[in-house]
Amino acid sequence: MKIEFAPINIPFKRRIQTFAVLQWIFTFLFLGQCCLAVFVLLIFAGYWYIAAVYIVWLYLDWETPNQGGRRSQWVRNWTIWNYFRDYFPIHLTKTTPLDPKYNYLFGFHPHGVLVAGAFANFCSLVSSVKSSASHILNRKEGGNVAVIVIGGAEESLDARPGALILRIMNRKGFIKLAIKCGAHLVPVFSFGENELFNQVNNPKGSTLRTIQERLQKFMGFALPLFHARGVFQYNFGLLPYRKPIYTVVGKPIVVQQNHTPSNQEIEVLHSKYIEAINQLFEEHKAQYGIPETDHLIFS
């Protein structure tokens, strides 16, 4: 295989964009392990009292991420996020106005490998557990949005260029949450999300897929074996390809609040939501280079 190296005379702006994405990849994949390693080293290096203070603070602060987090406008305004956005680049399109009197639950599709579009457009660093989303959607003042990547970790195992598989048929918890909170449902489709990485072939029933699915059930997150390009060459590595992402926000589905929704009510709204995300995809796919013959696959 002939290795294609990056040109030496790449503009400085593009180098900063690459660094912005590189730090995101590192944070996503390795920051947790590095922090744990530092914690262990503090103990064995004799600085156990620092670790002890951290444990006390962690205990006292445990519920904060589930109650809106500790939002930092300073962090959200870091220039590095602009470079991250422009690396691909990532675009956000709103198809209809959203009334700020209401709260909204955005269903984001597809998961992709590392959900770059959802991170760039919506991420504000709160916990992804149910209680966190419920806290946001129950705020009385309105104007709040909780974004849930519906396909979850399981869907990431199907993320590869050209894939149009959405894991949604058995995912109805977000529907129940929306009804309980009275939050309007909004379908969101991110065109280009699956084009960022290649993935080792893992068809259903293969040994690799079986191992991945078992690990996903055991650990709660999937381990897709993905690859794309490197920092100084374009043939292999963990950096995503420079492919554009177009995140399209659809029309809200009005939801009437009911603290004890019936199964039938959930099923009806779930069907309505599937119809809405399919319609959103079909209306915009030609604009973003998807052939007319290609359609979403719901599983």
Side-chain angles (χ1 to χ4, degrees), residues 120-135:
N121 289 315
F122 305 120
C123 185
S124 57
L125 306 176
V126 298
S127 173
S128 60
V129 299
K130 179 181 177 181
S131 58
S132 177
S134 180
H135 176 85

mmCIF file of all heavy atoms in Angstrom, residues 120-135:
data_model
loop_
_atom_site.group_PDB
_atom_site.id
_atom_site.type_symbol
_atom_site.label_atom_id
_atom_site.label_comp_id
_atom_site.label_asym_id
_atom_site.label_seq_id
_atom_site.Cartn_x
_atom_site.Cartn_y
_atom_site.Cartn_z
ATOM 1 N N ALA A 120 -20.859 18.776 18.031
ATOM 2 C CA ALA A 120 -20.604 20.141 17.571
ATOM 3 C C ALA A 120 -21.823 21.043 17.686
ATOM 4 O O ALA A 120 -21.708 22.217 18.040
ATOM 5 C CB ALA A 120 -20.107 20.115 16.127
ATOM 6 N N ASN A 121 -22.993 20.501 17.388
ATOM 7 C CA ASN A 121 -24.199 21.328 17.325
ATOM 8 C C ASN A 121 -24.949 21.454 18.639
ATOM 9 O O ASN A 121 -25.613 22.469 18.882
ATOM 10 C CB ASN A 121 -25.155 20.761 16.270
ATOM 11 C CG ASN A 121 -24.659 20.977 14.855
ATOM 12 O OD1 ASN A 121 -24.218 22.062 14.522
ATOM 13 N ND2 ASN A 121 -24.724 19.947 14.026
ATOM 14 N N PHE A 122 -24.857 20.435 19.509
ATOM 15 C CA PHE A 122 -25.738 20.409 20.676
ATOM 16 C C PHE A 122 -25.053 20.186 22.015
ATOM 17 O O PHE A 122 -25.666 20.439 23.055
ATOM 18 C CB PHE A 122 -26.797 19.308 20.504
ATOM 19 C CG PHE A 122 -27.589 19.412 19.234
ATOM 20 C CD1 PHE A 122 -27.581 18.374 18.307
ATOM 21 C CD2 PHE A 122 -28.340 20.541 18.952
ATOM 22 C CE1 PHE A 122 -28.310 18.452 17.133
ATOM 23 C CE2 PHE A 122 -29.078 20.638 17.785
ATOM 24 C CZ PHE A 122 -29.060 19.598 16.864
ATOM 25 N N CYS A 123 -23.838 19.685 22.036
ATOM 26 C CA CYS A 123 -23.252 19.243 23.300
ATOM 27 C C CYS A 123 -23.080 20.382 24.295
ATOM 28 O O CYS A 123 -22.539 21.436 23.970
ATOM 29 C CB CYS A 123 -21.901 18.580 23.045
ATOM 30 S SG CYS A 123 -21.152 17.882 24.522
ATOM 31 N N SER A 124 -23.542 20.171 25.531
ATOM 32 C CA SER A 124 -23.328 21.138 26.619
ATOM 33 C C SER A 124 -22.892 20.434 27.895
ATOM 34 O O SER A 124 -23.005 20.961 28.983
ATOM 35 C CB SER A 124 -24.591 21.973 26.862
ATOM 36 O OG SER A 124 -25.685 21.129 27.161
ATOM 37 N N LEU A 125 -22.429 19.176 27.752
ATOM 38 C CA LEU A 125 -21.746 18.468 28.841
ATOM 39 C C LEU A 125 -22.592 18.181 30.065
ATOM 40 O O LEU A 125 -22.190 18.454 31.187
ATOM 41 C CB LEU A 125 -20.477 19.224 29.240
ATOM 42 C CG LEU A 125 -19.485 19.519 28.086
ATOM 43 C CD1 LEU A 125 -18.342 20.331 28.580
ATOM 44 C CD2 LEU A 125 -19.079 18.290 27.372
ATOM 45 N N VAL A 126 -23.774 17.613 29.893
ATOM 46 C CA VAL A 126 -24.539 17.111 31.032
ATOM 47 C C VAL A 126 -24.578 15.596 30.933
ATOM 48 O O VAL A 126 -24.274 15.019 29.900
ATOM 49 C CB VAL A 126 -25.981 17.671 31.068
ATOM 50 C CG1 VAL A 126 -25.970 19.176 31.208
ATOM 51 C CG2 VAL A 126 -26.753 17.249 29.818
ATOM 52 N N SER A 127 -24.954 14.942 32.028
ATOM 53 C CA SER A 127 -25.005 13.488 32.057
ATOM 54 C C SER A 127 -26.049 12.976 31.057
ATOM 55 O O SER A 127 -27.058 13.625 30.796
ATOM 56 C CB SER A 127 -25.352 13.008 33.467
ATOM 57 O OG SER A 127 -25.552 11.616 33.479
ATOM 58 N N SER A 128 -25.782 11.789 30.500
ATOM 59 C CA SER A 128 -26.700 11.216 29.507
ATOM 60 C C SER A 128 -27.718 10.252 30.113
ATOM 61 O O SER A 128 -28.422 9.567 29.382
ATOM 62 C CB SER A 128 -25.890 10.477 28.430
ATOM 63 O OG SER A 128 -25.119 9.437 29.017
ATOM 64 N N VAL A 129 -27.810 10.201 31.433
ATOM 65 C CA VAL A 129 -28.751 9.286 32.066
ATOM 66 C C VAL A 129 -30.167 9.853 32.021
ATOM 67 O O VAL A 129 -30.371 11.045 31.784
ATOM 68 C CB VAL A 129 -28.347 8.984 33.532
ATOM 69 C CG1 VAL A 129 -26.978 8.331 33.585
ATOM 70 C CG2 VAL A 129 -28.371 10.250 34.366
ATOM 71 N N LYS A 130 -31.144 8.996 32.259
ATOM 72 C CA LYS A 130 -32.554 9.368 32.148
ATOM 73 C C LYS A 130 -32.917 10.513 33.087
ATOM 74 O O LYS A 130 -33.662 11.428 32.704
ATOM 75 C CB LYS A 130 -33.428 8.147 32.442
ATOM 76 C CG LYS A 130 -34.919 8.418 32.380
ATOM 77 C CD LYS A 130 -35.712 7.164 32.705
ATOM 78 C CE LYS A 130 -37.199 7.445 32.726
ATOM 79 N NZ LYS A 130 -37.987 6.229 33.066
ATOM 80 N N SER A 131 -32.411 10.477 34.309
ATOM 81 C CA SER A 131 -32.764 11.523 35.283
ATOM 82 C C SER A 131 -32.276 12.894 34.839
ATOM 83 O O SER A 131 -32.910 13.913 35.130
ATOM 84 C CB SER A 131 -32.183 11.180 36.658
ATOM 85 O OG SER A 131 -30.775 11.043 36.595
ATOM 86 N N SER A 132 -31.163 12.931 34.115
ATOM 87 C CA SER A 132 -30.642 14.200 33.613
ATOM 88 C C SER A 132 -31.561 14.785 32.558
ATOM 89 O O SER A 132 -31.906 15.977 32.587
ATOM 90 C CB SER A 132 -29.236 13.998 33.045
ATOM 91 O OG SER A 132 -28.740 15.197 32.489
ATOM 92 N N ALA A 133 -31.977 13.946 31.588
ATOM 93 C CA ALA A 133 -32.892 14.402 30.541
ATOM 94 C C ALA A 133 -34.226 14.839 31.141
ATOM 95 O O ALA A 133 -34.809 15.848 30.734
ATOM 96 C CB ALA A 133 -33.104 13.292 29.521
ATOM 97 N N SER A 134 -34.712 14.075 32.115
ATOM 98 C CA SER A 134 -35.979 14.405 32.770
ATOM 99 C C SER A 134 -35.893 15.755 33.478
ATOM 100 O O SER A 134 -36.838 16.549 33.441
ATOM 101 C CB SER A 134 -36.338 13.304 33.770
ATOM 102 O OG SER A 134 -37.556 13.598 34.415
ATOM 103 N N HIS A 135 -34.757 16.027 34.115
ATOM 104 C CA HIS A 135 -34.572 17.305 34.803
ATOM 105 C C HIS A 135 -34.667 18.463 33.818
ATOM 106 O O HIS A 135 -35.321 19.485 34.094
ATOM 107 C CB HIS A 135 -33.208 17.323 35.497
ATOM 108 C CG HIS A 135 -32.871 18.631 36.159
ATOM 109 N ND1 HIS A 135 -33.289 18.942 37.434
ATOM 110 C CD2 HIS A 135 -32.170 19.710 35.720
ATOM 111 C CE1 HIS A 135 -32.853 20.143 37.755
ATOM 112 N NE2 HIS A 135 -32.169 20.634 36.734
#
